[in-house]
Amino acid sequence: MEWPAEFLLSAVEPAQFPPETLPEVAFLGRSNAGKSTLLNCLTGKKELAYSSSTAGRTQAVNFFRVDGKVIFVDLPGYGHASAPKHLSRMWRETVNAYLLERKSLRLCVVLLDARRGWMAADLQLKDWLDYRQRAYVVVATKVDKLNQKERHQSQIAICKHYPSEDLIWFSAVNGQGVKELWQAISKTTGS
């Protein structure tokens, strides 16, 4: 299904964030975890958010209005080692300001590459969200790249830190997980 969705703006510093008029859903994860691809699948628009096989392409906080009811926020990925330190620091400060200060933020969608599971930076993010009492859901991406045995092992590893009944498995190839994530978004934002 295709949803009416439009790009609003890119912000490289908090002063550029748009006014808080609608509930917001933020997409967080390591570089190349599939945030932009997931946004495109959720809206049914192949090129709403720029997706690339090269890690670190999202370099600003990107805001998208979806169906006139919710704002999707694509945050820069973390863990991209080849980015210059001053740029990584600026991204981190902007993302921290967004996560700490946005009153309209209703849900964080934490993306994990199912082939890699939890890494140290992912667990730090999870702990930070828990400490700040920010609502979040975990989405395991790229599940189509796993065979049945690998998927089972991935599920066991991911569910050591997150309830299996809440975990959403996502595949851009067949759309698995899109309906479940929309349900979580609607439940949290009322949209």
Side-chain angles (χ1 to χ4, degrees), residues 98-102 105 108 128-129 132-136:
Y98 175 81
L99 292 172
L100 281 170
E101 297 167 13
R102 290 301 273 193
L105 177 59
C108 294
W128 190 95
L129 293 170
R132 300 280 187 226
Q133 298 181 345
R134 283 290 192 187
Y136 66 92

Side-chain angles (χ1 to χ4, degrees), residues 1-3 5 27 34-52 64 72 74 170 172 178 182:
M1 176 177 196
E2 187 172 316
W3 294 89
F27 294 80
K35 294 178 297 297
S36 299
T37 299
L38 178 59
L39 281 166
N40 292 338
C41 286
L42 282 171
T43 61
K45 294 185 179 288
K46 291 184 180 183
E47 296 179 11
L48 179 69
Y50 179 73
S51 63
S52 170
F64 305 88
F72 284 176
D74 188 7
F170 171 70
V178 169
W182 265 117

Side-chain angles (χ1 to χ4, degrees), residues 54-117:
T54 305
R57 288 291 182 200
T58 303
Q59 299 182 359
V61 178
N62 295 309
F63 293 82
F64 305 88
R65 183 175 23 245
V66 180
D67 199 26
K69 297 178 182 174
V70 65
I71 304 291
F72 284 176
V73 184
D74 188 7
L75 297 168
Y78 49 85
H80 185 50
S82 65
K85 289 188 189 250
H86 74 280
L87 193 56
S88 293
R89 185 174 54 253
M90 183 183 75
W91 292 345
R92 188 171 47 252
E93 289 169 2
T94 301
V95 169
N96 282 342
Y98 175 81
L99 292 172
L100 281 170
E101 297 167 13
R102 290 301 273 193
K103 292 176 179 56
S104 54
L105 177 59
R106 299 291 184 267
L107 180 67
C108 294
V109 179
V110 177
L111 281 73
L112 299 179
D113 184 328
R115 300 168 300 175
R116 292 174 177 77

